[in-house]
Amino acid sequence: MSETGTLSLVPDSPPNAAPDAPRDALPAHLTGLPVVACDLDRTLIYSAKALYLDGPDHEAPRLVVSELHERLPLSYMTRDAEDLLLELLDHAFLVPVTTRTRAQFRRVQLPATRYAVTTNGGVLLAHGEPDGDWAAQVRGALDRGSAPLAEVLAHLSERPAPGVQRIRTAEDLFVYAIVERAELPDGYVGQLTAWCAERGWVVSLQGRKLYCVPAPVTKEAAIGEVMERVGATTLVAAGDSLLDRGLLEIADVALRPCHGELDAAGYTRPGLRVTETPGVRAGEEILRAALEAVRRPSPLASQLSV
């Protein structure tokens, strides 16, 4: 609720109506490189509250700012993680994969990549621009398999539960609410999950954000498209939330931190690698494991970001 007690209902960003991004031909020497698909928040980058730093301050890892919002630092990774990230570009297609909208993703300071996935798979960025072919595929899947966004939005907003403070729509694809978890009624998330499932939607609670997402809008579907375009046969994937589970299921090498929604749920699968440390150090562990999985001798970083 706002300070006046009125629910705040805000569109997070304009509809995804950008023109088609051109499909450029992939140079032969890049075809078939592995894909490393990495979730961002609480997997690769961390807010101050999610750093999980213990011990004396002088023993903490060196940090670099990974995101600014309104000119203030918002997210971080370790300096060693940044070095690993740059080295990873020599050996694989790095694809950031996030539930963030395009506008939120733009704040994150990462090396340029050929592809990125935002809006939980609803938007595929090619050289930074929305891919119109993928947008059409997503819209078609939504029309065939999920209740309209307006129905879910009305369910959340007409009688908001205690603890639900703001409700936003993300590029006309899904809905999320900013919540105070301690104030949510017992059983509320489970009831919402069941209600959404009957309408072809899924629910995920991550930190203070409660997501309601159409079942066809997935990170793994978008990454499957990327792998087809680049001719990749090997996928390394990392994530911490239930919305990352499908991505980890299809990966040849699956990585997750020892914190987050998947950890709380006890998620596992054959060959899953779980970090030994939580927080920002986990991001470094994940990048080190990804690099180990894809390392090859020839340096290609400058060409992979072209």
Side-chain angles (χ1 to χ4, degrees):
M1 297 290 179
S2 68
E3 292 181 358
T4 61
T6 303
L7 184 74
S8 173
L9 179 59
V10 185
D12 197 73
S13 52
N16 181 20
D20 290 7
R23 284 201 186 195
D24 57 326
L26 190 69
H29 63 278
L30 300 182
T31 302
L33 282 177
V35 167
V36 175
C38 192
D39 175 52
L40 293 182
D41 296 280
R42 298 190 179 216
T43 299
L44 186 60
I45 63 175
Y46 292 80
S47 68
K49 291 183 178 179
L51 293 176
Y52 289 103
L53 294 177
D54 53 14
D57 289 346
H58 69 273
E59 294 181 359
R62 293 179 298 166
L63 301 178
V64 295
V65 175
S66 301
E67 178 186 10
L68 292 172
H69 183 46
E70 297 180 348
R71 297 175 297 280
L72 294 175
L74 189 61
S75 297
Y76 306 83
M77 67 173 62
T78 70
R79 188 173 298 277
D80 286 346
E82 183 181 53
D83 292 341
L84 290 166
L85 187 66
L86 293 172
E87 186 177 353
L88 187 61
L89 293 175
D90 283 347
H91 307 282
F93 285 102
L94 173 67
V95 184
V97 185
T98 180
T99 308
R100 289 173 176 240
T101 63
R102 280 179 285 157
Q104 294 166 341
F105 174 68
R106 287 193 198 102
R107 301 197 304 250
V108 181
Q109 300 175 353
L110 293 175
T113 58
R114 183 175 290 266
Y115 293 107
V117 174
T118 73
T119 327
N120 202 60
V123 177
L124 175 61
L125 299 179
H127 297 286
E129 297 298 326
D131 187 275
D133 290 343
W134 180 247
Q137 291 184 52
V138 170
R139 289 296 177 186
L142 292 178
D143 291 344
R144 294 188 298 271
S146 298
L149 179 145
E151 182 178 345
V152 178
L153 183 61
H155 181 76
L156 283 173
S157 58
E158 287 177 356
R159 292 185 178 180
V164 176
Q165 296 184 324
R166 296 186 300 280
I167 297 174
R168 297 181 181 272
T169 58
E171 308 201 45
D172 281 347
L173 287 171
F174 64 82
V175 184
Y176 68 94
I178 309 299
V179 302
E180 286 292 347
R181 295 178 67 139
E183 297 177 12
L184 292 175
D186 291 342
Y188 172 73
V189 175
Q191 293 167 12
L192 179 63
T193 298
W195 185 90
C196 284
E198 293 174 355
R199 291 157 178 82
W201 287 60
V202 298
V203 172
S204 175
L205 180 60
Q206 303 177 36
R208 294 190 60 216
K209 290 183 179 179
L210 178 64
Y211 292 93
C212 297
V213 181
V217 178
T218 67
K219 295 179 179 181
E220 59 268 26
I223 287 298
E225 175 74 8
V226 170
M227 292 189 67
E228 181 178 344
R229 293 189 185 192
V230 303
T233 58
T234 300
L235 173 63
V236 179
D240 71 302
S241 80
L242 290 177
L243 294 176
D244 297 312
R245 179 171 181 165
L247 183 61
L248 298 187
E249 288 291 330
I250 68 169
D252 300 284
V253 178
L255 309 164
R256 74 162 174 84
C258 63
H259 62 250
E261 202 176 21
L262 287 176
D263 191 66
Y267 170 74
T268 189
R269 51 148 278 189
L272 176 70
R273 298 179 64 174
V274 181
T275 65
E276 295 181 359
T277 55
V280 71
R281 288 188 176 95
E284 183 179 324
E285 280 192 61
I286 285 169
L287 288 171
R288 199 177 303 279
L291 183 59
E292 176 185 325
V294 303
R295 184 179 278 117
R296 52 183 284 170
S298 57
L300 297 170
S302 60
Q303 298 167 73
L304 288 175
S305 62
V306 171

